[in-house]
Amino acid sequence: MSYQVKEISTKPFDGQKPGTSGLRKRVKVFQQEHYTENFIQAIFDSIKAEGATLVIGGDGRYFSPETVQTILKIGSANGVKKLIIGKDSILSTPAASNVIRKYKADGGILLTASHNPGGPNNDFGIKYNVSNGGPAPENVTNKIYEITKTIQRYKVIEADPVDLSVIGKARYGPTEVQIIDSVADYVELLQDIFDFQLIKDFLQNNAASFRILFDGLHGVTGPYARAILVDTLGLPEASIQNCVALPDFGGGHPDPNLTYAHSLVEVVEAKNIQFGAASDGDGDRNMIYGKDAFVTPSDSVAIIADWAHVIPYFKKGGVKGLARSMPTSKAIDLVAQKKGLEYFEVPTGWKFFGNLMDAGRLSICGEESFGTGSDHIREKDGIWAIMAWLNIIAAANKESPNELIGIKELLKKHYAIYGRSFFSRYDYEEVSSEGANKLVALLDGAITSSSLANKTYKSKSTNQDFTIASVTNFSYTDPIDGSVSKNQGQVVLFDDGSRVVFRLSGTGSAGATVRLYVERYVGPEAGEKVLAGDTAEGLKGLIEVALEISNLKEFLGRDEPTVIT
């Protein structure tokens, strides 16, 4: 049977440049006539669409079902052979990465704006992943962008919409369509990685003294958490909350940090829950939080790396190497050094980890932005990190049957061996782009002129002195493909090893976001009381100095950050 391919005339839209995590804009921008169609056609024009098998899914945010139907129209007209689609257009980002790899697809289109709010007045996003299951590298995203600047037409086949709620096979024009269970493949993957029986035994044997609460923040991970925690591990329904995925995330901000995951924090503290966890809109981020015990993402990945030997996946395959994004604290470096493992410092963006994984040089990695993962897929993975913690806690308790080991105890043991990197991030969201650029220009000028070198600043509140050793702009040469990434963030390094990092972030859809990262290392010899100290107090003097050096409050017109993590 032949199908009529129509060519629709169009014209380019400005600003369709995908970033590290795809193209993110307000929903109303994507709803403009031809806007979404242009970008999807540009994706198909930039890859070998004829005969391709692609995976389609996303976090279920507002405007997703319509966009899946648009992909069907344009994909079929461009000769796509098969589309594998998550039921109801749902596939978490980690689950999509797994499906691409498991079914050897040529790539995937993910409809997500990650942790950004959803709904008709908020954000939408389209992201392309390549055949390894990871985000498209710059040579692919640049090609997509170049096509969007000159596009004159897109192709469609008009046919009846596919019912996305029915699992099974269908057709759209000449294209085979397979609607799959969004959760099953991912649960199977995790069962191959972790010791589910060990975790289940521990949780059942300590049901009264070690309770769990997972908060889905009404993002995509709700169904996954239910399938794992309730259906597989046998935990009560009360172990999960906000686990119905909603197009607007229940009106909340699905970002698992102390500010936006307050629904988790409040219940954990009020009910004395030993292990709390949350994930974000598309399921690639996580937060670990127990009663009076918050785990920074930097500490989380370091502890997972230190305990990797108790996780079956790493028992079997070993740990090849460790890595972190540049702004992330150096806690994982210390683990690598102690264990004699290769380790890497890369720019922000999971694709940099993917290159190292594909080359067999990286097993466990993380970002301070609540992203943690391993080489089981090519995306960060929120549920994976949570299950890693449960596997580690179950194993630690098996080793110490007379002492209940929880989050606080693991942190304490870790600091006693490795010391502690006091770490915090200040986010200044939707600030003036002009002010943000002035801040960056000031720091770039200091790098060029060396005007800050050897300069000492005194904190007024703590009376601490901080002497600047260097100011640099981080650049990275990929050891696998030789590509160079420049201007990845200004780094102010002090002579005591403390550092402050400034970055302009491109993950928002309006205004600019400036992120300030502050890190101060204290060795294990400082003793338990100092190592267990309050983060804000431990960093107070350094933060004061960072604000003074950068004139941040003046440039951004903000006295306080939007979010502190």
Side-chain angles (χ1 to χ4, degrees), residues 8 22 31 35 71 195 218 220 249 294 420 433 495 508 510 532 560:
I8 310 295
Q31 287 176 325
Y35 188 93
I71 293 170
D195 191 337
H218 289 302
V220 75
F249 308 116
F294 167 62
R420 180 180 177 187
S433 294
D495 64 1
E560 300 292 337

Side-chain angles (χ1 to χ4, degrees), residues 14 35 66 89 111 130 139 165 190 235 317 357 374 385 398 401 535:
D14 290 336
Y35 188 93
E66 303 95 313
S89 75
L111 308 178
V130 292
N139 65 318
S165 68
L190 292 197
L235 292 175
M357 290 174 182
S374 85
K398 189 175 182 181
T535 298

Side-chain angles (χ1 to χ4, degrees), residues 403-477:
E403 176 193 6
L404 183 62
I405 305 292
I407 294 172
K408 286 181 79 169
E409 290 75 22
L410 279 177
L411 287 170
K412 181 179 171 182
K413 287 174 183 286
H414 190 81
Y415 297 156
I417 296 169
Y418 293 101
R420 180 180 177 187
S421 291
F422 285 86
F423 181 88
S424 190
R425 185 182 97 187
Y426 280 27
D427 291 3
Y428 297 84
E429 297 176 351
E430 297 190 3
V431 299
S432 155
S433 294
E434 180 184 1
N437 287 326
K438 284 181 179 178
L439 185 152
V440 170
L442 173 75
L443 294 168
D444 283 344
I447 293 169
T448 303
S449 65
S450 299
S451 60
L452 292 177
N454 300 314
K455 197 168 181 180
T456 299
Y457 288 82
K458 183 181 288 289
S459 163
K460 293 176 183 176
S461 66
T462 67
N463 217 32
Q464 292 168 291
D465 287 332
F466 293 94
T467 300
I468 296 175
S470 65
V471 185
T472 56
N473 198 324
F474 181 69
S475 84
Y476 174 73
T477 301

Side-chain angles (χ1 to χ4, degrees), residues 288-311:
I288 307 296
Y289 185 93
K291 174 70 174 176
D292 297 326
F294 167 62
V295 185
T296 69
S298 302
D299 283 345
S300 180
V301 70
I303 288 172
I304 291 171
D306 192 39
W307 283 83
H309 59 280
V310 304
I311 296 172

Side-chain angles (χ1 to χ4, degrees), residues 255-515:
D255 194 356
N257 58 45
L258 294 173
T259 299
Y260 296 127
H262 56 85
S263 55
L264 173 75
V265 173
E266 289 165 4
V267 178
V268 165
E269 292 295 342
K271 296 188 176 181
N272 196 29
I273 290 171
Q274 287 71 33
F275 185 92
S279 189
D280 69 328
D282 70 325
D284 63 355
R285 299 183 183 212
N286 74 96
M287 180 176 77
I288 307 296
Y289 185 93
K291 174 70 174 176
D292 297 326
F294 167 62
V295 185
T296 69
S298 302
D299 283 345
S300 180
V301 70
I303 288 172
I304 291 171
D306 192 39
W307 283 83
H309 59 280
V310 304
I311 296 172
Y313 179 84
F314 299 114
K315 280 184 188 177
K316 182 179 178 181
V319 176
K320 304 175 186 76
L322 306 175
R324 61 174 173 83
S325 64
M326 179 273 288
T328 303
S329 94
K330 297 180 180 181
I332 196 172
D333 300 9
L334 300 174
V335 175
Q337 290 163 11
K338 187 173 189 297
K339 294 182 178 291
L341 295 170
E342 186 176 27
Y343 61 99
F344 303 89
E345 179 185 44
V346 308
T348 297
W350 210 258
K351 60 191 174 186
F352 297 103
F353 295 132
N355 263 9
L356 294 164
M357 290 174 182
D358 287 345
R361 293 175 66 179
L362 175 60
S363 293
I364 300 171
C365 53
E367 297 178 332
E368 48 65 41
S369 53
F370 295 86
T372 321
S374 85
D375 59 352
H376 67 293
I377 56 171
R378 295 298 181 267
E379 289 277 7
K380 52 195 173 219
D381 190 344
I383 298 287
W384 175 91
I386 293 163
M387 292 306 297
W389 267 85
L390 290 177
N391 197 146
I392 289 165
I393 287 173
N397 279 279
K398 189 175 182 181
E399 291 178 9
S400 303
N402 298 320
E403 176 193 6
L404 183 62
I405 305 292
I407 294 172
K408 286 181 79 169
E409 290 75 22
L410 279 177
L411 287 170
K412 181 179 171 182
K413 287 174 183 286
H414 190 81
Y415 297 156
I417 296 169
Y418 293 101
R420 180 180 177 187
S421 291
F422 285 86
F423 181 88
S424 190
R425 185 182 97 187
Y426 280 27
D427 291 3
Y428 297 84
E429 297 176 351
E430 297 190 3
V431 299
S432 155
S433 294
E434 180 184 1
N437 287 326
K438 284 181 179 178
L439 185 152
V440 170
L442 173 75
L443 294 168
D444 283 344
I447 293 169
T448 303
S449 65
S450 299
S451 60
L452 292 177
N454 300 314
K455 197 168 181 180
T456 299
Y457 288 82
K458 183 181 288 289
S459 163
K460 293 176 183 176
S461 66
T462 67
N463 217 32
Q464 292 168 291
D465 287 332
F466 293 94
T467 300
I468 296 175
S470 65
V471 185
T472 56
N473 198 324
F474 181 69
S475 84
Y476 174 73
T477 301
D478 193 300
I480 309 306
D481 62 20
S483 61
V484 178
S485 301
K486 297 181 178 180
N487 302 316
Q488 295 297 310
Q490 290 83 2
V491 183
V492 181
L493 181 66
F494 297 88
D495 64 1
D496 67 347
S498 299
R499 64 176 189 146
V500 176
V501 177
F502 298 86
R503 285 190 72 246
L504 269 175
S505 172
T507 58
S509 63
T513 295
V514 172
R515 304 195 196 280

